[in-house]
Amino acid sequence: MLVPLFLLVLFGAAVLYSAAGGRMDPFASSHLIRFCVFLVMAAIIASLPRGFVRFMTYPAYVVVLVLLLGVEIIGNVRGGSQRWLDLGFMVLQPSEIMKPVIVVTLAQFYASLPLGMITGWRALIIPGTLIALPVSFVLLQPDLGTSVAIAFGGAVVMLLAGLPLKWFVSGGLAAMAVAPIVFFFGLQDYQQRRVLTMFNPEADALGAGYHINQSKIAIGSGGIFGKGFNNGSQSHLQYLPEPQTDFVFSTMAEEWGLVGGLFVLAVFTIILSWGLRVARESRDRFASLLAAGMVATIFFYVAVNLMMVMGMAPVVGIPLPFMSHGGSSMLTNMICIGALMMVNRWNREAPRYGLSG
């Protein structure tokens, strides 16, 4: 897994080098530095014993929840959103950390829940509350994309834990029923415009639809083999918004074409497939749910970002893992990688561990 991961990060650095007009600063150099720092963090996570992780799960959830509350009270405001805490030595986005934390929290809960109670109210109400609390705080920031990501990771763990499928079907139907109410009364004006733009970006090509249209132009103009490294006109002439973060795939596709896009998809497939194999090979409930939830978290980033830049999803500010420039995204995804490496080590060290563990 590490070889394709390194290749993806290096390829991302090359794209960021081009996005900066042929310079390592400010994007490519910090991207590589962050990866190296968080790789050390992932190695530390991979060395953690099972008992310690399970013991610290609920305290970690409480700490991150308190940090989310702190964001509402003293958080920094950027671009109209209040999502960051200035800790002095770094600026932290607690909502990003909650994505892997909610996964390990629910994995711990279901691992401790007797299998006979998996269809009872306790298996739904308590995890639902654990998800709803951080989601509510994140929606206040407001950050719709991150709140959906937290809910998605939690829902995947709940599904794999064995909750009745009819509960999810009923929940989906209920969500569809209340969607119009949420759209008109729950979303901000700019969020409503993003949803409507997804269906008809040409209706306001120079306004709400500008980002998606320019992204499509960049991707389509790359053709099969692209325009060549450091020759992307859309990003270099600043037609493409945020070419180093949310739309880094568009920047890449313009210069590397379909071939580059297939390479990125192939590497993500290798990484996610490895993660699923780690989950399948886990012999206890906690490790299996933990690994599968981390895979789901990375998958959400990849799927939503790619759909977003191709106009198949609203622009919600979800970066592409290991390629986009951004410390919070790199932190979250490297936590997921570290957790998968940790479970993989557990599998090797205790292949006969009981299913009830």
Side-chain angles (χ1 to χ4, degrees):
M1 181 276 300
L2 290 177
V3 173
L5 178 63
F6 289 156
L7 291 176
L8 187 63
V9 171
L10 290 174
F11 188 39
V15 176
L16 293 175
Y17 174 89
S18 177
R23 297 186 303 273
M24 289 294 294
D25 292 324
F27 306 134
S29 56
S30 59
H31 175 75
L32 293 174
I33 292 172
R34 286 168 177 165
F35 174 72
C36 292
V37 172
F38 292 140
L39 183 63
V40 175
M41 177 201 67
I44 295 173
I45 293 174
S47 67
L48 297 177
R50 184 195 314 266
F52 176 79
V53 173
R54 298 191 66 168
F55 176 77
M56 292 300 298
T57 291
Y58 291 133
Y61 174 85
V62 172
V63 168
V64 179
L65 199 63
V66 171
L67 289 176
L68 286 174
L69 179 60
V71 169
E72 301 302 324
I73 300 174
I74 59 172
N76 291 349
V77 178
R78 299 180 183 177
S81 298
Q82 191 170 353
R83 305 175 185 177
W84 297 270
L85 277 178
D86 189 349
L87 302 179
F89 61 94
M90 68 174 295
V91 177
L92 180 67
Q93 187 175 352
S95 58
E96 284 289 332
I97 302 178
M98 182 55 77
K99 295 175 185 178
V101 167
I102 194 66
V103 168
V104 68
T105 301
L106 295 189
Q108 166 68 356
F109 174 82
Y110 285 115
S112 305
L113 188 71
L115 291 177
M117 299 178 64
I118 200 66
T119 58
W121 65 270
R122 190 188 302 271
L124 178 64
I125 300 300
I126 296 178
T129 303
L130 291 172
I131 295 173
L133 285 174
V135 166
S136 300
F137 284 133
V138 174
L139 284 175
L140 291 175
Q141 294 179 358
D143 190 348
L144 179 62
T146 300
S147 62
V148 173
I150 294 172
F152 178 81
V156 168
V157 175
M158 295 172 72
L159 177 64
L160 296 178
L163 269 66
L165 185 60
K166 62 181 180 182
W167 290 359
F168 292 92
V169 174
S170 300
L173 294 175
M176 292 173 61
V178 302
I181 298 176
V182 173
F183 177 82
F184 288 107
F185 300 102
L187 298 183
Q188 303 286 334
D189 290 341
Y190 77 91
Q191 293 172 330
Q192 293 180 358
R193 288 195 296 270
R194 287 178 177 179
V195 174
L196 295 175
T197 299
M198 176 185 67
F199 296 104
N200 187 16
E202 287 76 19
D204 188 10
L206 297 179
Y210 180 81
H211 291 186
I212 292 179
N213 284 327
Q214 295 301 321
S215 177
K216 287 181 176 180
I217 291 172
I219 295 173
S221 64
I224 302 296
F225 299 104
K227 297 178 179 178
F229 177 57
N230 206 24
N231 289 321
S233 57
Q234 288 294 110
S235 58
H236 288 185
L237 298 178
Q238 299 182 350
Y239 287 106
L240 187 64
E242 303 296 336
Q244 78 281 4
T245 53
D246 296 348
F247 293 91
V248 71
F249 184 85
S250 307
T251 304
M252 181 280 303
E254 183 183 19
E255 297 187 357
W256 299 84
L258 178 64
V259 174
L262 292 177
F263 169 78
V264 172
L265 291 177
V267 173
F268 277 123
T269 300
I270 293 171
I271 295 173
L272 295 174
S273 298
W274 170 78
L276 290 176
R277 187 172 72 249
V278 170
R280 287 195 302 268
E281 293 176 353
S282 301
R283 303 301 180 91
D284 71 283
R285 191 172 181 79
F286 174 70
S288 179
L289 292 176
L290 172 59
M294 295 301 175
V295 172
T297 300
I298 299 175
F299 171 79
F300 182 88
Y301 270 96
V302 177
V304 173
N305 179 270
L306 295 184
M307 290 193 298
M308 179 182 73
V309 300
M310 290 185 280
M312 300 169 63
V315 178
V316 291
I318 299 292
L320 188 63
F322 313 117
M323 290 191 66
S324 292
H325 180 264
S328 296
S329 169
M330 182 70 79
L331 171 63
T332 300
N333 286 285
M334 288 306 291
I335 290 176
C336 294
I337 292 294
L340 288 169
M341 293 167 62
M342 176 181 66
V343 174
N344 190 45
R345 180 178 60 82
W346 293 349
N347 294 344
R348 296 197 309 268
E349 293 178 352
R352 298 182 181 278
Y353 198 82
L355 278 173
S356 62

